Amino acid sequence: MKSLVTTSYIKTSGEEIVFLGEWCKKYNQKNSWVDKKHTTISYHWEDRQKFKLDHDYLCEFYEELLSKLCVKLNKIHDVEYTKRYWRIIIGPWLLIYVPVLFDRWENIRKAYASKEHYMTAIPDKKVDKAVANDYQHSLKLMGYSDDWNFLLYCEILLFMQNQNITFFEEQFIPSPHTNLKTSSVSIRNLFFLFACKIDTFINKMWFKRNYKFVLFKCGIPLSVMVQIALRLFQPPRMFSQFEVSVNYSTEVSPSLRQKEWSDSDNDFESFVYQQVLNDIPKAYVENYLTIKKILKRGNFPLNPEIIMTASAHYNNELFKIWAAEMVKKGSKLVVSSHGGSMRAKFEVFRHEEKISDHKATWCMPFHDKHVQLSPNKVTRKNNFSGKGNNITLIGCEFSRYVYRVQSAPMSSLILEDFDQKVEFIKLLNSFKLPKFNLKIRPYPDRGWSLKDRYIDLFGAHIISMNKTLLEDFLSSNVIICTYPETTFFQSMHSGIPTVLLYVDKYWELEECFTPLARRLVKAKIAHTSFKSAAMHIKNIYADPQKWWNNDETKEARLMFDQVCGAPSEDVSIDKNWHRFLMDISSKK
């Protein structure tokens, strides 16, 4: 009998291993499985028609589940808040939780579809999954924790009770907690800490707390934020009081998390209803009132007219609960893009449009709440010389475990994306071009060890030693981007000849970007074939600027500016954003 392995927790009892997906086969642990007889089940969202149908279904089910959780949370906390209120607070978590459970469910269902008989390991005693403190903690557990995902798979297998599976018990010892993020003290960090000290001082002095505009984590450079604040006639603020830590409880309350709704005729939905109150983060149940007390006792803004952020509406629980309270009292919520380029068609169930009154976008509007503004991060065009010695490939990587249903090479699909880049490099190397120097800037490791894979294939010399993206730009005469998002936008406006090489079938775009995508392909800026990209690099590498500045390429670049946005040239960014905020303020 074959052993079904669901995560990198590899315990087997049969002669052959069947891996549920590529995420089970950690590259840095390959010695533990590479010599064993094994097969790997293909990823269910490789079928993009299924992906699109699943996205639409999950979007609908997400709304249904959100409505039920609103009723439950109102009862738990003895309040009567609206769906928009709770959407602002728990929506970000729920829009990752629902796809996570569905993805794991479908992986198991696909394994069962083969009609094979499997053996698989489960813990020899009851072990509960960790309950996340908040959204950020939940993201780490769902996207990166083998323990959490192993236990979830066990719960799904036990719930399904398929006759083709035989369980055998193994001692399960959770891995010690490791911090997934590292930090270091740099000049920039020291400057930020100094700015926070000043911000705290201003906050204490401005005891009235009557800010008309609260701009927090907007992605706008600090110097520009100061100029905007002065134009708005209020003290320049970072509102760093929202960064205060919350002391989350170590225990969960079973009485608060009791299930009070009936099961569904749909087995997957019944499983979600069984699980959701066990898994909902403490910030929304046990520690919701704790956070509200922090907001009540602290010197937080009162009744602002406009609240704007680019990221805190996802990952800052203090801000989300405060913002929901302010919106309930009449404040307008504005979400600004935290990145830009050709926008993905499937991403976050239109969450930002649903919670906000307006959304500031870099690209041309494609929703009635959108307003196009100059990019908040890229405040001006950079005119790098493009005379560096390197052709630099900017890598792409996603977490081993899916945590969203989004247009991208998620989970196992990232290896298909990686293989495209490997074939591209191999073909380039076969040309034996004189004075040719290719460097790779790997994406920060998300569990796939792509940097190590590149080194094993091509040697350590191929990895860029530059610490920052800016340094890589300065040392390059061509940039090769591997995904059509913010880095591609930055490169297109850097002055350096830019090529996009990507697996387009996994990067579904909003329909309004399709003509631009075709124009970029025609101008040989965008490539979906490694052969096409390699031949193009071969043809231009001696003089990339000649191609970058020919008429056809310049026309495509101009269209990119018109569709995706461009740094403002005729008016400073602070004037641009000030005008936008004042226009909203005038429309009461």
Side-chain angles (χ1 to χ4, degrees), residues 40-75:
T40 306
I41 298 171
S42 61
Y43 187 51
H44 69 101
W45 276 335
E46 185 178 354
D47 180 346
R48 300 314 276 182
Q49 185 58 36
K50 178 184 186 300
F51 171 78
K52 294 170 187 175
L53 293 173
D54 288 349
H55 173 275
D56 293 345
Y57 160 69
L58 291 172
C59 185
E60 183 178 336
F61 178 54
Y62 163 84
E63 290 294 333
E64 176 184 324
L65 185 56
L66 177 62
S67 296
K68 291 186 176 182
L69 284 174
C70 289
V71 174
K72 177 63 177 175
L73 290 169
N74 276 337
K75 185 173 182 179

Side-chain angles (χ1 to χ4, degrees), residues 99-115:
V100 161
L101 266 61
F102 183 80
D103 172 75
R104 312 314 188 254
W105 179 277
E106 288 296 284
N107 289 331
I108 295 294
R109 197 171 67 83
K110 186 165 186 181
Y112 284 155
S114 68
K115 305 299 183 181

Side-chain angles (χ1 to χ4, degrees), residues 23-160:
W23 57 86
C24 304
K25 298 148 61 178
K26 293 180 76 171
Y27 191 70
N28 59 7
Q29 297 175 2
K30 60 183 177 181
N31 291 338
S32 66
W33 54 263
V34 71
D35 293 329
K36 297 179 181 179
K37 186 177 180 182
H38 66 272
T39 57
T40 306
I41 298 171
S42 61
Y43 187 51
H44 69 101
W45 276 335
E46 185 178 354
D47 180 346
R48 300 314 276 182
Q49 185 58 36
K50 178 184 186 300
F51 171 78
K52 294 170 187 175
L53 293 173
D54 288 349
H55 173 275
D56 293 345
Y57 160 69
L58 291 172
C59 185
E60 183 178 336
F61 178 54
Y62 163 84
E63 290 294 333
E64 176 184 324
L65 185 56
L66 177 62
S67 296
K68 291 186 176 182
L69 284 174
C70 289
V71 174
K72 177 63 177 175
L73 290 169
N74 276 337
K75 185 173 182 179
I76 289 173
H77 301 302
D78 193 23
V79 293
E80 294 182 2
Y81 295 153
T82 65
K83 188 174 181 179
R84 185 187 182 191
Y85 177 95
W86 288 115
R87 186 192 298 276
I88 292 171
I89 296 170
I90 70 168
W93 170 76
L94 196 61
L95 63 84
I96 62 174
Y97 181 74
V98 170
V100 161
L101 266 61
F102 183 80
D103 172 75
R104 312 314 188 254
W105 179 277
E106 288 296 284
N107 289 331
I108 295 294
R109 197 171 67 83
K110 186 165 186 181
Y112 284 155
S114 68
K115 305 299 183 181
E116 292 271 8
H117 289 268
Y118 298 114
M119 297 186 71
T120 196
I122 60 172
D124 59 354
K125 58 184 178 181
K126 181 174 174 56
V127 181
D128 293 323
K129 300 194 307 296
V131 177
N133 292 330
D134 51 23
Y135 170 84
Q136 283 288 80
H137 187 200
S138 192
L139 202 64
K140 291 180 181 181
L141 292 174
M142 295 180 192
Y144 300 93
S145 171
D146 288 301
D147 289 351
W148 194 92
N149 282 281
F150 171 70
L151 293 171
L152 174 59
Y153 276 123
C154 289
E155 289 171 339
I156 293 171
L157 288 162
L158 291 167
F159 181 89
M160 286 185 171

Side-chain angles (χ1 to χ4, degrees), residues 42 64-65 86 200 223 242 334 340 359 367 406 415 419 522 581:
S42 61
E64 176 184 324
L65 185 56
W86 288 115
T200 301
S223 59
F242 286 113
V334 178
K359 181 178 177 181
H367 188 278
Q406 65 185 62
L415 295 183
D419 288 342
K522 184 180 179 182
L581 293 169

Side-chain angles (χ1 to χ4, degrees), residues 254-411:
S255 62
L256 293 178
R257 295 170 178 263
Q258 291 179 352
K259 180 169 73 73
E260 296 179 353
W261 47 59
S262 59
D263 290 339
S264 167
D265 294 334
N266 179 302
D267 286 345
F268 165 69
E269 293 177 14
S270 293
F271 177 72
V272 175
Y273 292 142
Q274 174 183 290
Q275 294 292 315
V276 64
L277 291 175
N278 296 328
D279 293 335
I280 189 169
K282 298 171 189 173
Y284 316 133
V285 182
E286 289 83 4
N287 292 109
Y288 170 76
L289 293 179
T290 303
I291 295 172
K292 292 194 75 171
K293 286 179 181 177
I294 293 173
L295 293 171
K296 185 176 181 179
R297 294 171 181 170
N299 196 29
F300 291 89
L302 294 174
N303 302 321
E305 185 176 317
I306 295 172
I307 303 164
M308 187 170 76
T309 186
S311 60
H313 59 298
Y314 284 110
N315 55 31
N316 188 303
E317 304 301 344
L318 272 173
F319 176 84
K320 285 189 291 184
I321 293 176
W322 172 83
E325 294 286 344
M326 295 302 102
V327 167
K328 178 165 62 74
K329 295 178 180 179
S331 298
K332 294 179 181 178
L333 179 60
V334 178
V335 172
S336 60
S337 294
H338 55 275
S341 190
M342 297 186 289
R343 302 309 301 160
K345 184 174 184 178
F346 306 109
E347 197 170 17
V348 288
F349 303 149
R350 291 278 187 265
H351 173 71
E352 295 180 337
E353 286 78 5
K354 289 174 182 176
I355 66 169
S356 66
D357 295 283
H358 304 276
K359 181 178 177 181
T361 67
W362 300 7
C363 63
M364 65 181 186
F366 54 89
H367 188 278
D368 58 8
K369 288 188 179 180
H370 289 180
V371 178
Q372 186 176 16
L373 288 176
S374 298
N376 44 338
K377 287 185 179 178
V378 186
T379 56
R380 57 187 172 82
K381 281 183 177 283
N382 290 308
N383 292 310
F384 293 103
S385 66
K387 294 181 179 180
N389 298 318
N390 301 332
I391 292 176
T392 302
L393 186 146
I394 311 294
C396 176
E397 186 169 349
F398 292 89
S399 63
R400 281 169 48 237
Y401 297 105
V402 163
Y403 58 80
R404 277 184 186 160
V405 50
Q406 65 185 62
S407 298
M410 302 176 294
S411 189

